[in-house]
């Protein structure tokens, strides 16, 4: 494994809870991105990794899982300090990272090549081969979980990798790669480049990269799709979202509001599947809004390193200010500010330089408002009333995104019926944000293309070769026959 030694200017990495610099990390130069790809290519073509027996690669992944588990406490605290997510959330999320390595090790050990039906004296089968060098570009909000999701599948299938973490949150990625190195992963198999948009664009367009997996904004995903299409490389892109949560009047409004609060405010709303658009049937609308507001007001804001904290800061001052502007836009459009808005006024001294926004509820909104259509990426819940099932589904699907959706109802038939009609890659019923290594993760429309996790991701890091073997005893002499027979 190699992290390029950057010669470019150092970039300050901030603690968003205080606004203070944690350390500086040098941006990789374009030449160093090229070097990282060459190193990964050399490890693929001349190194042992792709040629290892499946059982041996699986053992490497299992050792990696154990090593990550042993380093968990260090990784939890580092990621919390770097992206501001409360330590309780980070610990709950990152404790699951080893599962992805173990799951893909299991897929590798159990992988079978397909034998295909073929007429005549032929044995036809398929082989899967690794793609080569794969680029993984990760976001600031869930750096290690999203990295592990793609990295484990790419490594299991025999690829080598160049990772580019978000320039705002590179620290836990750098630490994880060191953990993998110490666990015995061969040199050159995983490489890291650091920096901003120019580094990511160069990696995405690099002719030596066979696949890009990107999690980020829709415009970044669109650019990646164009760049990879020019050379027929593959791309998996998990992009933006404006997740609708449909709450029907047979649901308990207080229980639904508890679930809504988690959907809207976990990770300070900085998640592509954050429940940011709550479509609530009119019969329970007011009761739901009141319960959600009470829960929002009770959420403890503070130091992410404190286990009592339930809501941390946004990633940057720029994002904080954008979220505050969007709240103002919602009020200007006619939505009612029920609670929240603004920054907390009672934070202790060191946290006053942090990038906090109070959990916010906007009610009385319409589905046409910007706050109901655009991704805010902050702790803002927008509540829109609906009349009946058809109205709810129409409003839910009336958006350019299609990543996630949620349904709250006690009616089992309705749950299945509505889930089937929603245009979203993932639908949760009476819950939110549930994920497993076996569950494909991704969306439709402007929420991206392809899937992370599951067998879908594992298979997409390979290409298929079909082998046809003639088993007949006679020669295949087409021109020497009186009646050549069928031409395939």
């Amino acid at each position: 494994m190699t992290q390029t030694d950057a010669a470019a200017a150092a970039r300050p990495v901030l603690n968003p809870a205080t606004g203070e610099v944690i350390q500086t990390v040098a941006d990789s130069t374009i030449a160093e991105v090229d070097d990282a790809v060459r190193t990964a290519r050399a490890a693929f073509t001349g190194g042992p990794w792709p040629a290892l027996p499946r059982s041996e690669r699986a053992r490497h992944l299992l050792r990696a899982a154990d090593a990550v588990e042993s380093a968990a406490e260090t990784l939890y605290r580092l990621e919390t300090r770097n992206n501001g997510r409360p330590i309780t959330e980070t610990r709950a999320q990152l404790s699951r990272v080893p599962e992805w390595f173990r799951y893909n090790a299991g897929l590798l050990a159990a992988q079978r090549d397909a034998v295909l039906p073929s007429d005549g004296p032929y044995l036809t089968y398929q082989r899967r081969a690794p793609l080569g060098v794969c680029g993984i570009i990760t976001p600031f909000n869930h750096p290690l979980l999203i990295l592990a999701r793609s990295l484990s599948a790419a490594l299991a299938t025999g690829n080598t990798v160049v990772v580019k973490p978000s320039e705002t949150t590179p620290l836990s990625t750098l630490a994880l790669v060191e953990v993998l190195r110490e666990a015995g992963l061969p040199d050159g198999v995983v490489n890291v480049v650091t920096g901003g948009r120019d580094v990511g664009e160069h990696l995405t367009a690099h002719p030596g990269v066979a696949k890009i997996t990107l999690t980020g904004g829709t415009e970044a995903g669109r650019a990646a799709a164009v760049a990879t299409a020019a050379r027929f490389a593959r791309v998996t892109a998990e992009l933006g979202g404006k997740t609708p949560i449909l709450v029907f009047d047979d649901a308990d409004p207080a229980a639904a509001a508890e679930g809504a609060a988690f959907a809207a405010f976990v990770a300070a709303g900085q998640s592509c599947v954050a429940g940011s658009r709550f479509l609530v049937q009119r019969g329970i609308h007011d009761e739901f809004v009141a319960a959600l507001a009470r829960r929002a007001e009770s959420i403890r804001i503070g130091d992410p390193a404190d286990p009592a904290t339930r809501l941390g800061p946004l990633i940057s001052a720029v994002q904080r200010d954008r979220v505050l502007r969007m709240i103002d836009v919602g009020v200007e459009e006619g939505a009612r500010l029920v609670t929240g808005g603004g920054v907390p006024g009672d934070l202790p001294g060191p946290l006053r330089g942090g990038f906090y926004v109070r959990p916010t509820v906007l009610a009385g909104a319409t589905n046409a408002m910007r706050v109901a259509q655009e991704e805010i990426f902050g702790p803002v819940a927008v509540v829109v009333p609906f009349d009946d099932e058809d109205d709810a589904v129409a409003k839910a699907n009336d958006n350019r995104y299609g990543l996630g959706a949620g349904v709250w109802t006690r009616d089992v038939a309705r749950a299945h019926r509505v889930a089937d009609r929603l245009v979203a890659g993932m639908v949760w019923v009476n819950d939110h944000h549930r994920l497993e290594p076996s569950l494909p993760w991704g969306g439709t429309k402007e929420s991206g293309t392809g899937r992370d996790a599951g067998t879908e991701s594992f298979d997409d890091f390979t290409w298929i070769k079909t082998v046809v073997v003639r088993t007949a005893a006679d020669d295949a002499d087409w021109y020497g026959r009186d009646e050549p027979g069928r031409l395939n």
Side-chain angles (χ1 to χ4, degrees):
M1 286 168 289
T2 303
Q3 179 196 347
T4 57
D5 295 323
R11 181 188 295 268
V13 177
L14 303 183
N15 178 349
T18 63
E20 298 171 341
V21 176
I22 303 171
Q23 68 180 70
T24 58
V25 174
D27 285 1
S28 298
T29 65
I30 296 305
E32 288 164 339
V33 177
D34 293 340
D35 286 344
V37 174
R38 274 194 295 269
T39 299
R41 185 65 189 172
F44 181 77
T45 58
W49 187 250
L52 284 177
R54 291 178 183 177
S55 59
E56 183 59 28
R57 277 209 309 276
R59 280 195 290 271
H60 272 286
L61 266 69
L62 294 174
R63 285 195 292 268
D66 292 343
V68 171
E69 213 158 50
S70 296
E73 192 62 31
T74 298
L75 295 173
Y76 302 156
R77 296 190 178 281
L78 183 59
E79 187 153 299
T80 283
R81 192 175 181 214
N82 197 176
N83 77 352
R85 191 166 182 179
I87 188 68
T88 51
E89 289 184 16
T90 305
R91 181 178 284 114
Q93 184 181 79
L94 297 196
S95 65
R96 305 200 62 193
V97 164
E99 293 179 33
W100 266 260
F101 288 94
R102 291 175 179 138
Y103 172 77
N104 281 288
L107 288 183
L108 177 60
Q111 186 183 34
R112 293 182 177 184
D113 293 323
V115 176
L116 307 178
S118 186
D119 290 340
Y122 298 98
L123 172 66
T124 303
Y125 61 92
Q126 287 183 338
R127 299 296 302 272
R128 286 189 174 270
L131 299 174
V133 179
C134 298
I136 301 176
I137 300 175
T138 59
F140 70 81
N141 52 350
H142 314 296
L144 288 194
L145 181 68
I146 289 176
L147 173 58
R149 207 165 59 190
S150 297
L151 179 62
S152 57
L155 295 180
T157 47
N159 299 281
T160 57
V161 175
V162 178
V163 179
K164 194 211 84 73
S166 167
E167 65 273 25
T168 58
T169 56
L171 301 184
S172 58
T173 296
L174 294 172
L176 177 69
V177 170
E178 182 61 21
V179 168
L180 298 180
R181 185 191 67 79
E182 293 176 354
L185 205 62
D187 288 343
V189 172
V190 177
N191 307 269
V192 182
V193 293
T194 53
R197 181 174 179 175
D198 57 335
V199 174
E201 288 178 345
H202 189 67
L203 179 62
T204 300
H206 200 289
V209 175
K211 176 177 177 175
I212 288 288
T213 299
L214 176 146
T215 303
T218 295
E219 292 312 310
R222 201 186 314 277
V226 170
T228 50
R231 65 182 189 279
F232 301 105
R234 296 190 189 180
V235 62
T236 294
E238 189 227 302
L239 308 176
K242 189 67 177 177
T243 299
I245 310 293
L246 287 62
V247 183
F248 288 91
D249 61 9
D250 62 352
D252 179 345
E258 290 290 336
F262 171 75
F265 304 133
V266 69
Q270 297 175 113
S271 175
C272 295
V273 294
S276 55
R277 188 165 52 117
F278 294 90
L279 308 177
V280 183
Q281 200 155 15
R282 292 187 189 278
I284 61 168
H285 175 274
D286 293 350
E287 191 175 352
F288 173 89
V289 169
L292 180 58
R294 286 193 298 271
R295 172 51 71 201
E297 290 164 359
S298 73
I299 295 174
R300 181 186 173 105
I301 306 170
D303 182 357
D306 183 348
T309 294
R310 291 296 177 265
L311 189 106
L314 298 179
I315 190 62
S316 67
V318 170
Q319 183 61 17
R320 176 199 60 198
D321 294 346
R322 180 184 181 279
V323 170
L324 292 174
R325 283 196 301 273
M326 285 300 294
I327 294 171
D328 291 341
V329 166
V331 173
E332 291 166 6
E333 288 180 312
R336 175 168 58 93
L337 180 62
V338 181
T339 190
V343 301
D346 55 352
L347 293 172
L351 302 184
R352 291 174 189 167
F355 313 129
Y356 292 88
V357 172
R358 295 168 61 203
T360 300
V361 178
L362 294 172
T366 70
N367 205 49
M369 290 180 179
R370 284 182 61 191
V371 289
Q373 288 291 318
E374 297 180 17
E375 188 174 39
I376 298 174
F377 230 62
V380 181
V382 179
V383 185
V384 177
F386 71 81
D387 295 316
D388 55 25
E389 188 175 305
D390 287 340
D391 186 34
V393 171
K395 284 185 166 84
N397 291 338
D398 181 21
N399 191 269
R400 66 190 180 110
Y401 297 113
L403 187 58
V407 180
W408 286 79
T409 179
R410 292 174 176 170
D411 186 331
V412 174
R414 169 183 280 160
H416 289 289
R417 188 170 62 241
V418 171
D420 193 52
R421 297 175 66 189
L422 292 173
V423 182
M426 299 164 289
V427 180
W428 294 278
V429 176
N430 298 331
D431 205 343
H432 197 76
H433 213 313
R434 179 69 183 176
L435 73 163
E436 301 283 349
S438 59
L439 305 183
W441 184 278
T444 186
K445 298 194 284 189
E446 294 195 21
S447 289
T449 182
R451 292 294 182 269
D452 268 330
T455 58
E456 289 80 0
S457 175
F458 183 90
D459 289 344
D460 201 51
F461 279 101
T462 65
W463 59 276
I464 293 175
K465 178 189 302 183
T466 301
V467 181
V468 182
V469 180
R470 190 171 188 270
T471 60
D474 61 321
D475 294 332
D477 185 0
W478 172 269
Y479 292 104
R481 297 177 185 174
D482 292 333
E483 294 183 8
R486 189 177 70 179
L487 178 64
N488 295 317

mmCIF file of all heavy atoms in Angstrom, residues 246-253 279-285 287 386-388 408-411 414:
data_model
loop_
_atom_site.group_PDB
_atom_site.id
_atom_site.type_symbol
_atom_site.label_atom_id
_atom_site.label_comp_id
_atom_site.label_asym_id
_atom_site.label_seq_id
_atom_site.Cartn_x
_atom_site.Cartn_y
_atom_site.Cartn_z
ATOM 1 N N LEU A 246 -43.496 8.804 4.105
ATOM 2 C CA LEU A 246 -44.950 8.866 4.040
ATOM 3 C C LEU A 246 -45.526 8.355 5.355
ATOM 4 O O LEU A 246 -45.297 7.201 5.738
ATOM 5 C CB LEU A 246 -45.476 8.016 2.882
ATOM 6 C CG LEU A 246 -45.273 8.533 1.455
ATOM 7 C CD1 LEU A 246 -43.798 8.667 1.089
ATOM 8 C CD2 LEU A 246 -45.970 7.619 0.453
ATOM 9 N N VAL A 247 -46.269 9.203 6.054
ATOM 10 C CA VAL A 247 -46.847 8.844 7.352
ATOM 11 C C VAL A 247 -48.364 8.833 7.204
ATOM 12 O O VAL A 247 -48.985 9.888 7.016
ATOM 13 C CB VAL A 247 -46.419 9.830 8.449
ATOM 14 C CG1 VAL A 247 -46.979 9.397 9.802
ATOM 15 C CG2 VAL A 247 -44.894 9.948 8.513
ATOM 16 N N PHE A 248 -48.948 7.633 7.264
ATOM 17 C CA PHE A 248 -50.394 7.490 7.092
ATOM 18 C C PHE A 248 -51.114 7.625 8.421
ATOM 19 O O PHE A 248 -50.534 7.422 9.495
ATOM 20 C CB PHE A 248 -50.699 6.151 6.426
ATOM 21 C CG PHE A 248 -50.304 6.116 4.977
ATOM 22 C CD1 PHE A 248 -49.037 5.670 4.600
ATOM 23 C CD2 PHE A 248 -51.170 6.554 3.992
ATOM 24 C CE1 PHE A 248 -48.656 5.648 3.258
ATOM 25 C CE2 PHE A 248 -50.801 6.538 2.655
ATOM 26 C CZ PHE A 248 -49.535 6.088 2.284
ATOM 27 N N ASP A 249 -52.417 7.945 8.335
ATOM 28 C CA ASP A 249 -53.151 8.273 9.564
ATOM 29 C C ASP A 249 -53.487 7.072 10.431
ATOM 30 O O ASP A 249 -54.044 7.232 11.513
ATOM 31 C CB ASP A 249 -54.413 9.075 9.247
ATOM 32 C CG ASP A 249 -55.402 8.338 8.353
ATOM 33 O OD1 ASP A 249 -55.191 7.126 8.102
ATOM 34 O OD2 ASP A 249 -56.381 8.964 7.897
ATOM 35 N N ASP A 250 -53.139 5.846 9.978
ATOM 36 C CA ASP A 250 -53.296 4.689 10.860
ATOM 37 C C ASP A 250 -52.051 4.449 11.703
ATOM 38 O O ASP A 250 -52.026 3.556 12.550
ATOM 39 C CB ASP A 250 -53.648 3.438 10.063
ATOM 40 C CG ASP A 250 -52.565 3.051 9.067
ATOM 41 O OD1 ASP A 250 -51.610 3.828 8.889
ATOM 42 O OD2 ASP A 250 -52.672 1.971 8.460
ATOM 43 N N ALA A 251 -50.994 5.228 11.473
ATOM 44 C CA ALA A 251 -49.777 5.119 12.283
ATOM 45 C C ALA A 251 -49.946 5.917 13.576
ATOM 46 O O ALA A 251 -50.693 6.895 13.622
ATOM 47 C CB ALA A 251 -48.575 5.634 11.506
ATOM 48 N N ASP A 252 -49.242 5.511 14.602
ATOM 49 C CA ASP A 252 -49.201 6.273 15.849
ATOM 50 C C ASP A 252 -48.364 7.518 15.590
ATOM 51 O O ASP A 252 -47.161 7.408 15.318
ATOM 52 C CB ASP A 252 -48.576 5.414 16.943
ATOM 53 C CG ASP A 252 -48.459 6.142 18.275
ATOM 54 O OD1 ASP A 252 -48.585 7.377 18.303
ATOM 55 O OD2 ASP A 252 -48.214 5.469 19.284
ATOM 56 N N PRO A 253 -48.934 8.712 15.643
ATOM 57 C CA PRO A 253 -48.168 9.908 15.287
ATOM 58 C C PRO A 253 -46.954 10.142 16.175
ATOM 59 O O PRO A 253 -45.919 10.623 15.698
ATOM 60 C CB PRO A 253 -49.188 11.043 15.416
ATOM 61 C CG PRO A 253 -50.320 10.492 16.197
ATOM 62 C CD PRO A 253 -50.332 9.023 15.960
ATOM 63 N N LEU A 279 -44.203 13.514 4.332
ATOM 64 C CA LEU A 279 -45.539 13.628 3.772
ATOM 65 C C LEU A 279 -46.492 12.971 4.769
ATOM 66 O O LEU A 279 -46.424 11.759 4.999
ATOM 67 C CB LEU A 279 -45.601 12.936 2.415
ATOM 68 C CG LEU A 279 -44.503 13.375 1.413
ATOM 69 C CD1 LEU A 279 -44.597 12.575 0.132
ATOM 70 C CD2 LEU A 279 -44.608 14.869 1.127
ATOM 71 N N VAL A 280 -47.350 13.767 5.378
ATOM 72 C CA VAL A 280 -48.158 13.309 6.515
ATOM 73 C C VAL A 280 -49.636 13.484 6.193
ATOM 74 O O VAL A 280 -50.063 14.565 5.756
ATOM 75 C CB VAL A 280 -47.791 14.086 7.794
ATOM 76 C CG1 VAL A 280 -48.583 13.566 8.986
ATOM 77 C CG2 VAL A 280 -46.289 14.008 8.064
ATOM 78 N N GLN A 281 -50.415 12.417 6.418
ATOM 79 C CA GLN A 281 -51.846 12.477 6.132
ATOM 80 C C GLN A 281 -52.503 13.508 7.054
ATOM 81 O O GLN A 281 -52.172 13.634 8.239
ATOM 82 C CB GLN A 281 -52.482 11.106 6.308
ATOM 83 C CG GLN A 281 -53.804 10.969 5.594
ATOM 84 C CD GLN A 281 -54.137 9.533 5.245
ATOM 85 O OE1 GLN A 281 -53.534 8.591 5.764
ATOM 86 N NE2 GLN A 281 -55.097 9.338 4.353
ATOM 87 N N ARG A 282 -53.442 14.244 6.490
ATOM 88 C CA ARG A 282 -53.984 15.423 7.181
ATOM 89 C C ARG A 282 -54.593 15.090 8.541
ATOM 90 O O ARG A 282 -54.544 15.902 9.466
ATOM 91 C CB ARG A 282 -55.029 16.104 6.304
ATOM 92 C CG ARG A 282 -54.440 16.744 5.056
ATOM 93 C CD ARG A 282 -55.458 17.558 4.283
ATOM 94 N NE ARG A 282 -54.923 17.986 2.999
ATOM 95 C CZ ARG A 282 -54.139 19.049 2.822
ATOM 96 N NH1 ARG A 282 -53.818 19.807 3.856
ATOM 97 N NH2 ARG A 282 -53.687 19.353 1.610
ATOM 98 N N GLY A 283 -55.158 13.887 8.688
ATOM 99 C CA GLY A 283 -55.819 13.542 9.939
ATOM 100 C C GLY A 283 -54.909 13.555 11.153
ATOM 101 O O GLY A 283 -55.382 13.760 12.281
ATOM 102 N N ILE A 284 -53.615 13.313 10.963
ATOM 103 C CA ILE A 284 -52.674 13.309 12.097
ATOM 104 C C ILE A 284 -51.579 14.352 11.916
ATOM 105 O O ILE A 284 -50.610 14.371 12.675
ATOM 106 C CB ILE A 284 -52.038 11.918 12.286
ATOM 107 C CG1 ILE A 284 -51.239 11.502 11.039
ATOM 108 C CG2 ILE A 284 -53.080 10.883 12.641
ATOM 109 C CD1 ILE A 284 -50.364 10.283 11.261
ATOM 110 N N HIS A 285 -51.729 15.216 10.920
ATOM 111 C CA HIS A 285 -50.656 16.163 10.577
ATOM 112 C C HIS A 285 -50.252 17.009 11.777
ATOM 113 O O HIS A 285 -49.066 17.092 12.140
ATOM 114 C CB HIS A 285 -51.105 17.052 9.415
ATOM 115 C CG HIS A 285 -50.136 18.142 9.066
ATOM 116 N ND1 HIS A 285 -50.133 19.364 9.701
ATOM 117 C CD2 HIS A 285 -49.127 18.186 8.155
ATOM 118 C CE1 HIS A 285 -49.174 20.121 9.201
ATOM 119 N NE2 HIS A 285 -48.544 19.424 8.254
ATOM 120 N N GLU A 287 -50.803 16.693 15.011
ATOM 121 C CA GLU A 287 -50.259 15.922 16.140
ATOM 122 C C GLU A 287 -48.840 15.449 15.837
ATOM 123 O O GLU A 287 -47.961 15.475 16.711
ATOM 124 C CB GLU A 287 -51.173 14.731 16.416
ATOM 125 C CG GLU A 287 -50.875 14.016 17.718
ATOM 126 C CD GLU A 287 -51.868 12.910 18.017
ATOM 127 O OE1 GLU A 287 -52.875 12.797 17.292
ATOM 128 O OE2 GLU A 287 -51.620 12.154 18.985
ATOM 129 N N PHE A 386 -50.798 15.458 3.063
ATOM 130 C CA PHE A 386 -51.399 14.821 1.888
ATOM 131 C C PHE A 386 -52.790 14.330 2.250
ATOM 132 O O PHE A 386 -53.135 14.185 3.430
ATOM 133 C CB PHE A 386 -50.510 13.699 1.349
ATOM 134 C CG PHE A 386 -50.429 12.455 2.187
ATOM 135 C CD1 PHE A 386 -51.416 11.476 2.138
ATOM 136 C CD2 PHE A 386 -49.338 12.240 3.028
ATOM 137 C CE1 PHE A 386 -51.330 10.318 2.901
ATOM 138 C CE2 PHE A 386 -49.242 11.090 3.795
ATOM 139 C CZ PHE A 386 -50.245 10.128 3.731
ATOM 140 N N ASP A 387 -53.572 14.032 1.193
ATOM 141 C CA ASP A 387 -54.970 13.653 1.397
ATOM 142 C C ASP A 387 -55.176 12.148 1.473
ATOM 143 O O ASP A 387 -55.806 11.643 2.405
ATOM 144 C CB ASP A 387 -55.831 14.234 0.266
ATOM 145 C CG ASP A 387 -55.841 15.758 0.287
ATOM 146 O OD1 ASP A 387 -55.988 16.324 1.382
ATOM 147 O OD2 ASP A 387 -55.698 16.371 -0.781
ATOM 148 N N ASP A 388 -54.706 11.415 0.474
ATOM 149 C CA ASP A 388 -54.945 9.984 0.423
ATOM 150 C C ASP A 388 -53.726 9.291 -0.168
ATOM 151 O O ASP A 388 -52.700 9.931 -0.455
ATOM 152 C CB ASP A 388 -56.204 9.668 -0.382
ATOM 153 C CG ASP A 388 -56.176 10.261 -1.793
ATOM 154 O OD1 ASP A 388 -55.064 10.501 -2.319
ATOM 155 O OD2 ASP A 388 -57.252 10.485 -2.382
ATOM 156 N N TRP A 408 -44.672 4.821 6.918
ATOM 157 C CA TRP A 408 -45.116 4.512 8.281
ATOM 158 C C TRP A 408 -46.610 4.220 8.231
ATOM 159 O O TRP A 408 -47.412 5.089 7.897
ATOM 160 C CB TRP A 408 -44.811 5.678 9.230
ATOM 161 C CG TRP A 408 -43.356 5.758 9.559
ATOM 162 C CD1 TRP A 408 -42.366 6.284 8.784
ATOM 163 C CD2 TRP A 408 -42.716 5.246 10.729
ATOM 164 N NE1 TRP A 408 -41.148 6.145 9.403
ATOM 165 C CE2 TRP A 408 -41.334 5.511 10.603
ATOM 166 C CE3 TRP A 408 -43.174 4.598 11.876
ATOM 167 C CZ2 TRP A 408 -40.411 5.139 11.579
ATOM 168 C CZ3 TRP A 408 -42.252 4.239 12.863
ATOM 169 C CH2 TRP A 408 -40.889 4.505 12.698
ATOM 170 N N THR A 409 -46.974 2.975 8.536
ATOM 171 C CA THR A 409 -48.360 2.542 8.518
ATOM 172 C C THR A 409 -48.481 1.245 9.298
ATOM 173 O O THR A 409 -47.518 0.483 9.399
ATOM 174 C CB THR A 409 -48.864 2.334 7.077
ATOM 175 O OG1 THR A 409 -50.225 1.890 7.098
ATOM 176 C CG2 THR A 409 -48.023 1.294 6.331
ATOM 177 N N ARG A 410 -49.678 0.982 9.834
ATOM 178 C CA ARG A 410 -49.960 -0.296 10.493
ATOM 179 C C ARG A 410 -50.617 -1.283 9.533
ATOM 180 O O ARG A 410 -50.852 -2.432 9.896
ATOM 181 C CB ARG A 410 -50.877 -0.065 11.702
ATOM 182 C CG ARG A 410 -50.197 0.704 12.838
ATOM 183 C CD ARG A 410 -51.198 1.025 13.923
ATOM 184 N NE ARG A 410 -50.574 1.678 15.074
ATOM 185 C CZ ARG A 410 -51.253 2.237 16.081
ATOM 186 N NH1 ARG A 410 -52.576 2.221 16.056
ATOM 187 N NH2 ARG A 410 -50.634 2.811 17.086
ATOM 188 N N ASP A 411 -50.954 -0.813 8.344
ATOM 189 C CA ASP A 411 -51.649 -1.624 7.348
ATOM 190 C C ASP A 411 -50.613 -2.365 6.501
ATOM 191 O O ASP A 411 -49.922 -1.751 5.689
ATOM 192 C CB ASP A 411 -52.523 -0.714 6.485
ATOM 193 C CG ASP A 411 -53.400 -1.467 5.502
ATOM 194 O OD1 ASP A 411 -52.999 -2.570 5.067
ATOM 195 O OD2 ASP A 411 -54.474 -0.939 5.154
ATOM 196 N N ARG A 414 -51.137 -2.080 2.725
ATOM 197 C CA ARG A 414 -50.770 -0.756 2.232
ATOM 198 C C ARG A 414 -49.252 -0.600 2.167
ATOM 199 O O ARG A 414 -48.720 -0.019 1.220
ATOM 200 C CB ARG A 414 -51.363 0.319 3.147
ATOM 201 C CG ARG A 414 -50.818 1.714 2.854
ATOM 202 C CD ARG A 414 -51.363 2.740 3.822
ATOM 203 N NE ARG A 414 -52.699 3.161 3.441
ATOM 204 C CZ ARG A 414 -53.562 3.746 4.270
ATOM 205 N NH1 ARG A 414 -53.229 3.928 5.538
ATOM 206 N NH2 ARG A 414 -54.752 4.120 3.843
#
